[in-house]
């Protein structure tokens, strides 16, 4: 098989279980904290917005959890995804390293987000939920959830941050094609939204406001629940189909990665890609694995943040989570990789960084786009700006291997395509793209607003 | 395998030869005609703009032609493409028909166009060509050729019709990411372009002008050749990888289509999909096959045109081809399926229509988008407006099978995705989409301008 460009699994070879890394952590996670009650959050606290099965998964320490047959059926629309040997990129870099990438851009929504969206829609359907509300920024999560809800005949309501709604109308259109209702947030659909508009009619919205609107929507509609596309444990677990497939595919290729790389916004694509390999390390089967989480220098929570309890949203509605954070009020610079503009990192990834099992690095926007264009020209595929962070790190590792004259095996996740991001490429090609440095003063100020727990 | 959603071939199973239907036609094609010499066009006539191997293929009667190893290597970026059983669509339609679709939208450029672009770029590279010039309207062909040229280190110059250049800036950006030079046509790069601009500074361009610019570019640059994305015999042949793969995949599924369907603009995706199945019919192995070419009611050359010699471009620069045409000066209504707004149909498809081996149908824009949205919601994938013409016909055949209580096997080609066409979906979802009827008076007028041969 060594001449194969793509290593393909059959549908029969798809993983039948997700991997839950909570079973293998060096120490248990600190629980989420309910700031209103002053106590750890309970399943009861979460039940207003999540169905029971999702809450069970969120708190489970079981190592493997069965993927329901109906979820597998929908996965088959695009899964198993290809593992690709980046021969073209290796040649351009003239590196002795072997570079593989898992191609999650083949999903109908264009990114890995569908892996959890389908699972969440299924569990909500099973629980008798009729309506799911969520928020979306750039629109990848909203697209994935819209499509997933349609597959299980659920109503989907998406509060889309106004500035994105206006600047990225095509993501909105895609959600509408899938039958979702999409509201520009702040909207007139909720108390929260109406209040914001009354105070500031030109408010451009924020993820924090959109989350508040989605949660209010859930609390004011019958049979409605909320859904989140990253950060939480169950989301990370659903994404492990990526790494589980990749392990089988690497085995077919007769290889095992020395280095696993994914970009990190909230942490779901990184978790999905790396956790099944980190499992081998935690279980003592492989010791040398290097797992790299790549974040933008504009929003480097793992590299420069603090490990503390913080809210998941910028308004402080959610339970507080123990995570690396830049502070929930921190507003990162306007990089094109909208999916990475998040102040915190998944508690699971945070725990692994703390234990030095995951290594974070931060990269600048222009070097990310250098890598994206190099990749597109060598491998033909246009990457999402988020995914290009992983490509940047993979290229740097391959060049290091060349310098050292070592043959390393590198695996990265191509989490999504860039078909909806061409204005970002325009910005790069026109020479106008700017870098955003780590804004230490803004971070300091935001960290002053951490909840006191 | 009957439960499989996707039927997947390995790279080793890829066809190693293209199928040339010229070997099996009931009668040989009428040759292209050189209006300037008043004689059939010779290889010599074509050698100024095409490399020798392409001209040989254009005129060949050999049944199978080897696909070069280096072309296969690039095909492996996305090929073999999946054959998908449309279980979701079947369920929504509640039909006894089995519906399969070949998914050509998985190519990096987003459509089947890459199949011929890669082959053409390769043969030009082999012939020592350094620069390829082409025209593009909506941009699918330009994207495919840009990517293909980058794979073989050729310069690519694309003259993009001004109105598209301005309305579809993202297709332009994609070509630039692949390293192509893209000029808004009419441009200041050619005599033709400068003359048009001098006479009419606000000229919005046309495919005719863009072709003229591309050909002038070729004739005024060293080591430069021209490339065309449809209509011609060699292009149709390169596309037969679609149908050849689909045949193997249908065999794995234990099936053979009763009906093969593809949309038709110039004819390349229809040819690629249907010819390998029509081969069985022409060779007397299968008699019952129905092959349906779906065109827009706004531009129904096969359904309403005449079979006559006509120019390939609207300005009359190319040799004249014997084909069904609405007249080269005919300007179709502004349907969103830009790739189907072409006045003529491939001479090969035209010959098969004349011999009643291919059945044309014309469908209206709104019913096409009804089908597109139904498909997206049932199968998760957003189709290109062009491809949705094939979906419309497949749905209608499936509903007919239901009415008749017959289990038919239907195969259609999903030639491309709609990620760059969401403004068209917006237009549909907003209820503002209009239909374009067959404009008989405009056609009559255009037919008066056919060359006299």
């Amino acid at each position: 098989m060594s001449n194969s460009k793509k290593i393909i699994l059959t549908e029969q070879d798809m993983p039948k279980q997700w991997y839950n890394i909570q079973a293998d952590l060096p120490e248990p996670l600190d629980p989420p904290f309910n700031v209103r009650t002053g106590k750890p959050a309970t399943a009861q606290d979460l039940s207003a917005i999540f169905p029971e099965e999702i809450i069970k998964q969120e708190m489970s320490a079981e190592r493997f959890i069965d993927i329901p047959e109906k979820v597998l059926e929908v996965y088959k629309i695009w899964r198993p995804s290809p593992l690709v040997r980046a021969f073209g990129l290796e040649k351009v870099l003239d590196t002795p390293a072997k570079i593989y990438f898992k191609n999650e851009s083949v999903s109908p929504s264009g990114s890995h987000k569908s892996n959890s969206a389908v699972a969440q829609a299924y569990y909500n359907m099973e629980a008798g939920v009729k309506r799911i509300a969520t928020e979306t920024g750039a629109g990848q999560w909203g697209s994935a959830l819209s499509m997933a809800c349609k597959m299980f005949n659920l109503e989907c309501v998406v509060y889309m941050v106004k500035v994105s709604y206006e600047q990225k109308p095509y993501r909105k259109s895609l959600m509408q094609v899938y039958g979702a209702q999409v509201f520009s947030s702040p909207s007139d659909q909720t108390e929260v939204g109406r209040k914001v508009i009354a105070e500031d009619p030109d408010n451009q919205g924020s993820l924090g406001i959109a989350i508040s609107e989605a949660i209010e929507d859930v609390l004011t509609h019958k049979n409605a629940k909320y859904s989140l596309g990253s950060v939480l444990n169950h989301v990370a677990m659903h994404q492990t189909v990526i790494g589980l497939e990749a392990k089988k595919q690497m085995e077919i290729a007769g290889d095992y990665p020395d280095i696993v790389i994914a970009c990190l916004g909230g942490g779901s694509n990184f978790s999905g890609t790396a956790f099944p390999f980190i499992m081998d390390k935690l279980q003592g089967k492989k010791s040398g694995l290097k797992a790299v989480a790549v974040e933008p220098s504009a929003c480097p929570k793992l590299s420069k943040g603090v490990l503390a309890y913080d809210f998941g949203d910028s308004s402080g509605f959610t339970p507080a989570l123990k995570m690396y954070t830049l502070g929930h009020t921190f507003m990162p610079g306007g990089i094109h990789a909208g999916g990475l503009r998040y102040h915190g990192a998944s508690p699971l990834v945070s725990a692994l960084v703390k234990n030095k099992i995951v290594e974070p690095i931060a990269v600048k926007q222009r070097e990310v786009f250098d890598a994206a264009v190099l990749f597109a020209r060598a491998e033909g595929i246009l990457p999402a700006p988020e995914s290009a962070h992983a490509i940047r790190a993979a290229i740097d590792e391959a060049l290091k291997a060349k310098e050292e004259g070592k043959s390393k095996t590198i695996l990265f996740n191509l989490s999504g395509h860039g078909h909806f991001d061409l204005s970002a490429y325009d910005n790069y090609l026109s020479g106008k793209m700017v870098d955003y440095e780590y804004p230490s003063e803004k971070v300091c100020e935001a960290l002053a607003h951490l909840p006191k727990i």
Side-chain angles (χ1 to χ4, degrees), chain A residues 237-315:
Chain A
M237 187 188 73
H238 298 155
Q239 294 294 351
T240 59
V241 286
I242 303 170
L244 291 167
E245 282 180 11
K247 275 179 91 168
K248 286 196 190 188
Q249 290 163 311
M250 292 297 281
E251 206 179 311
I252 291 170
D255 245 328
Y256 191 92
D258 298 303
I259 309 167
V260 177
I261 300 170
C263 65
L264 187 133
S268 79
N269 111 79
F270 176 82
S271 302
T273 309
F275 285 3
F277 292 97
I278 292 176
M279 175 180 82
D280 293 344
K281 185 166 184 166
L282 293 173
Q283 293 179 355
K285 292 178 198 157
K286 295 273 178 184
S287 59
L289 181 78
K290 180 170 169 179
V292 182
V294 191
E295 37 183 26
S297 60
C299 194
K301 52 255 182 185
L302 292 175
S303 315
K304 308 265 191 179
V306 298
L307 182 60
Y309 270 104
D310 197 4
F311 297 114
D313 65 309
S314 55
S315 309

Side-chain angles (χ1 to χ4, degrees), chain A residues 24-248:
Chain A
D24 290 312
L25 287 182
E27 51 190 0
L29 283 187
D30 290 319
F33 201 87
N34 185 334
V35 177
R36 279 159 203 77
T37 62
K39 290 181 192 160
T42 62
Q44 184 63 28
D45 291 345
L46 299 173
S47 66
I49 56 170
F50 291 124
E52 197 184 328
E53 193 57 36
I54 292 287
I55 298 170
K56 262 170 67 183
Q57 291 183 358
E58 185 64 20
M59 300 182 163
S60 171
E62 223 176 312
R63 182 169 288 116
F64 289 100
I65 290 181
D66 286 349
I67 306 176
E69 194 54 45
K70 285 186 178 167
V71 172
L72 287 172
E73 285 307 313
V74 180
Y75 277 177
K76 286 179 189 172
I77 290 176
W78 75 98
R79 304 210 71 83
S81 71
L83 179 75
V84 186
R85 177 75 184 271
F87 288 121
L89 186 59
E90 291 173 19
K91 196 174 154 194
V92 169
L93 299 176
D94 187 25
T95 173
K98 288 188 273 185
I99 308 175
Y100 294 87
F101 63 92
K102 184 73 170 156
N103 187 357
E104 290 294 306
S105 78
V106 298
S107 93
S109 73
S111 83
H112 69 289
K113 291 287 184 195
S114 291
N115 297 325
S116 185
V118 171
Q120 292 191 48
Y122 169 79
Y123 289 118
N124 276 286
M125 181 271 287
E126 280 288 289
V129 173
K130 301 292 180 205
R131 175 186 178 97
I132 300 187
T134 196
E135 73 288 337
T136 201
Q140 290 185 325
W141 171 247
S143 311
L145 191 67
S146 301
M147 185 273 203
C149 284
K150 181 48 70 181
M151 295 292 133
F152 294 109
N153 286 314
L154 298 171
E155 263 184 79
C156 184
V157 185
V158 181
Y159 292 89
M160 186 173 187
V161 177
K162 185 176 176 187
V163 59
S164 294
Y165 185 94
E166 286 171 357
Q167 285 178 2
K168 301 206 167 188
Y170 295 149
R171 275 280 178 194
K172 172 205 71 183
S173 312
L174 181 60
M175 294 182 244
Q176 289 171 334
V177 170
Y178 289 136
Q181 282 186 278
V182 188
F183 297 111
S184 172
S185 169
S187 77
D188 60 1
Q189 302 291 307
T190 66
E191 285 285 339
V192 172
R194 288 188 292 269
K195 193 164 163 242
V196 172
I197 294 171
E199 285 169 9
D200 174 12
D202 295 327
N203 188 296
Q204 291 300 295
S206 71
L207 267 180
I209 296 169
I211 292 177
S212 318
E213 289 207 276
I215 291 178
E216 183 182 326
D217 185 293
V218 167
L219 300 176
T220 54
H221 284 84
K222 234 181 114 180
N223 288 326
K225 296 284 180 199
Y226 172 71
S227 180
L228 193 70
S230 191
V231 181
L232 298 179
N233 304 339
H234 66 280
V235 185
M237 187 188 73
H238 298 155
Q239 294 294 351
T240 59
V241 286
I242 303 170
L244 291 167
E245 282 180 11
K247 275 179 91 168
K248 286 196 190 188

Side-chain angles (χ1 to χ4, degrees), chain A residues 5 7 27 88 140 203 249 282 286 291 313 317 335 365 400 412 430:
Chain A
K5 171 78 182 156
I7 297 136
E27 51 190 0
Q140 290 185 325
N203 188 296
Q249 290 163 311
L282 293 173
K286 295 273 178 184
D313 65 309
F317 290 103
I335 55 169
Q365 174 156 272
K400 202 170 121 196
F412 72 87
S430 68

